[in-house]
Amino acid sequence: MDNKCDIGVIGLAVMGRNLILNMNDKGKSVAVYNRTVSKVDDFLKGDAAGRGTIVGTHSLKELCAKLKRPRKVMLMVKAGTAVDEFIEHALPFLEEGDCIIDGGNSFFKDSIRRTDYLTKKGILFCGAGISGGEEGARHGPSIMPGGNPEVWPLLKDIFQSVSAKTISGEPCCDWVGTDGAGHYVKMIHNGIEYGDMQLISEAYSLLKDVIGMDYTEIAETFKQWNKTELDSYLIEITAKIFYFKDDDGEPLVKKILDRAGQKGTGVWTSVNSLELGVPVTLITEAVYARALSARLDERAAASLILKGPEISLTHDKWQMAEDIRKGLLASKIISYAQGFMLMKEAAKEYSWNLDFGNIASLWREGCIIRSVFLDNIKSAFKKNSDLQNLLFDDYFSGILADCQESWRRVACSAVTSGIAAPALCAALSFYDGYRRAASPANLLQAQRDYFGAHTYERVDKPRGEFFNTDWTRN
Ligand code: 2AM
């Protein structure tokens, strides 16, 4: 009897452990290993107890020897040098055609490099973005695999069986593209998650400080919003957070220090958008908002020195709440449109054949940004795979047309009340800049030509003809 395992997993932190249990639930036999070897035995005695098809190993050699060929070795270790070290240590025990999968939160350029490096050694590489946190890993994450295309037929069955499924049963896991495409799409997912979270936080701030809602009313409002186009995991948990009481009966959220942490994927998205020249303003504002939140003491000092307007609460509470909902929805559309603009540019830059409708489907369930809204994005790209921008789709342009008056009222309220809403305002500025055929950049070109003879094109001459003027002549 061949008692070798279907896959090997290295890394027994919570994501690794949960993914192993999930794979095992789906009938896959899994050999497991961890750098701190005692954790292998702890796992076998703990969560994996009684599961004969989870096989503990105490060295990489033993792990590789326990695998069916072609071997599939999955790394669930800390992103960075740990991945490279494990690859080096595993290589002597692998043969041509075997594959290494990196399921960690790796930087996509590392996955491009690793695909190239391993391909030269005859080993297939898969960089798989995995989203959904611990719960997702255990019961069905969104999985975004990329790498050497020959790896996909070997992994498809295992990955699609463990991934989340949409209501119609489609797996939230499909091949994304070559080399770093999977980790890239995961990075964009995380960036969009930053944007969504920031927009929701701004809506909370406006509900609290412009309308004067208490925490129960805010919870009710988010609960209601979750029955609208905003229906999503993040809105759902936001309502639950506002309902949640501390031991003394006070809302717990009120007592949480307002200093946001970050692990860096939002920064990666913003830096990449700057590198590729794509205006991903909303995610970038979200990253900056976290950075500003971290300057707690400085903000406390500034609050004593810098004057703002007197806040007078709005009179029409429910009209304002609906305006905020519409402002949030419109801004969210802009954020996703920007995220997809960036992916479109990245597809050109890194030679990936990305299917944007498919990417929206991967995020439909299992991950943090899961929402009903993603169905509409999927439909938009399925209807027209050459869609230049999400905002050109009738469904989204229609919502923006419907929301814009409310959106503008909310932005005005934020500004006149002195309540920072950087993501909402950046989204509106982008919308107004994007829909403007004639921008003020003619002046920028004139200034550049004035001080640096950078030349300019003219609206009354063919494009590509450049002019230089002696601006001091009159
Ligand atoms: P450990 O249990 O031995 O710390 C998440 O941190 C996972 O990545 C854990 O399985 C951890 O192993 C592993 N890990 C973190 N840094 C590592 C490194 N530099 N080399 C090998 N494994 C590492």
Side-chain angles (χ1 to χ4, degrees), residues 194-210 222 225 282 285-286 289 324 327-328 331 410 414 419-427:
Y194 271 58
D196 277 356
M197 291 169 70
Q198 175 63 23
L199 285 171
I200 294 171
S201 299
E202 290 175 15
Y204 144 59
S205 170
L206 294 165
L207 292 171
K208 180 162 80 64
D209 295 329
V210 175
F222 278 109
W225 287 1
L282 202 130
E285 285 292 354
I324 295 172
L328 171 53
S331 304
V410 176
I419 307 232
L424 183 134
C425 293

Side-chain angles (χ1 to χ4, degrees), residues 175-245:
W175 185 247
V176 175
T178 52
D179 53 57
H183 275 129
Y184 188 87
V185 168
K186 170 65 172 33
M187 176 189 83
I188 299 292
H189 164 282
N190 285 26
I192 288 177
E193 179 185 312
Y194 271 58
D196 277 356
M197 291 169 70
Q198 175 63 23
L199 285 171
I200 294 171
S201 299
E202 290 175 15
Y204 144 59
S205 170
L206 294 165
L207 292 171
K208 180 162 80 64
D209 295 329
V210 175
I211 301 186
M213 281 188 178
D214 64 25
Y215 284 79
T216 310
E217 285 175 311
I218 296 173
E220 286 298 321
T221 304
F222 278 109
K223 194 175 164 189
Q224 289 309 317
W225 287 1
N226 207 36
K227 296 175 187 160
T228 69
E229 300 98 321
L230 287 172
D231 183 348
S232 61
Y233 171 72
L234 281 169
I235 296 280
E236 181 192 332
I237 66 163
T238 301
K240 289 180 179 167
I241 288 168
F242 281 109
Y243 279 123
F244 194 92
K245 302 282 189 294

Side-chain angles (χ1 to χ4, degrees), residues 8-24:
V9 177
I10 297 169
L12 294 177
V14 63
M15 286 294 284
R17 292 199 310 270
N18 281 357
L19 200 68
I20 292 164
L21 295 171
N22 184 353
M23 286 175 177
N24 196 240

Side-chain angles (χ1 to χ4, degrees), residues 45-302:
K45 278 187 250 148
D47 290 346
R51 292 174 180 255
T53 48
I54 294 182
V55 177
T57 67
H58 296 89
S59 69
L60 275 177
K61 185 177 180 186
E62 190 189 350
L63 177 101
C64 294
K66 288 258 157 64
L67 301 178
K68 287 178 193 163
R69 292 217 56 206
R71 298 181 184 86
K72 300 162 199 76
V73 177
M74 182 159 190
L75 301 172
M76 292 298 292
V77 300
K78 200 161 166 246
T81 51
V83 175
D84 291 310
E85 280 167 22
F86 266 117
I87 289 175
E88 282 313 311
H89 292 147
L91 275 176
F93 312 116
L94 298 177
E95 294 166 89
E96 198 169 330
D98 289 349
C99 66
I100 295 180
I101 306 133
D102 173 18
N105 223 355
S106 293
F107 185 47
F108 75 96
K109 288 184 182 171
D110 287 336
S111 297
I112 294 177
R113 169 176 60 77
R114 287 170 187 145
T115 308
D116 188 45
Y117 174 70
L118 287 171
T119 302
K120 287 185 185 131
K121 293 185 176 293
I123 302 292
L124 305 175
F125 180 76
C126 172
I130 302 185
S131 174
E134 299 170 19
E135 271 300 293
R138 181 67 187 87
H139 300 292
S142 160
I143 308 180
M144 294 147 258
N148 190 320
E150 290 164 52
V151 90
W152 183 230
L154 305 178
L155 300 177
K156 188 174 177 192
D157 169 56
I158 300 182
F159 277 12
Q160 292 194 336
S161 69
V162 297
S163 78
K165 309 286 178 302
T166 64
I167 293 170
S168 53
E170 291 165 274
C172 295
C173 170
D174 206 348
W175 185 247
V176 175
T178 52
D179 53 57
H183 275 129
Y184 188 87
V185 168
K186 170 65 172 33
M187 176 189 83
I188 299 292
H189 164 282
N190 285 26
I192 288 177
E193 179 185 312
Y194 271 58
D196 277 356
M197 291 169 70
Q198 175 63 23
L199 285 171
I200 294 171
S201 299
E202 290 175 15
Y204 144 59
S205 170
L206 294 165
L207 292 171
K208 180 162 80 64
D209 295 329
V210 175
I211 301 186
M213 281 188 178
D214 64 25
Y215 284 79
T216 310
E217 285 175 311
I218 296 173
E220 286 298 321
T221 304
F222 278 109
K223 194 175 164 189
Q224 289 309 317
W225 287 1
N226 207 36
K227 296 175 187 160
T228 69
E229 300 98 321
L230 287 172
D231 183 348
S232 61
Y233 171 72
L234 281 169
I235 296 280
E236 181 192 332
I237 66 163
T238 301
K240 289 180 179 167
I241 288 168
F242 281 109
Y243 279 123
F244 194 92
K245 302 282 189 294
D246 201 5
D247 295 339
D248 60 2
E250 286 288 300
L252 177 59
V253 65
K254 216 169 145 179
K255 300 183 186 171
I256 294 179
L257 192 68
D258 55 329
R259 176 168 58 196
Q262 46 184 324
K263 284 196 184 161
T265 38
V267 174
W268 288 349
T269 312
S270 295
V271 169
N272 183 250
S273 76
L274 290 166
E275 284 171 350
L276 301 191
V278 183
V280 182
T281 55
L282 202 130
I283 294 172
T284 305
E285 285 292 354
V287 173
Y288 285 146
R290 290 195 190 192
L292 184 57
S293 83
R295 295 175 173 256
L296 269 182
D297 296 337
E298 210 172 317
R299 285 191 287 118

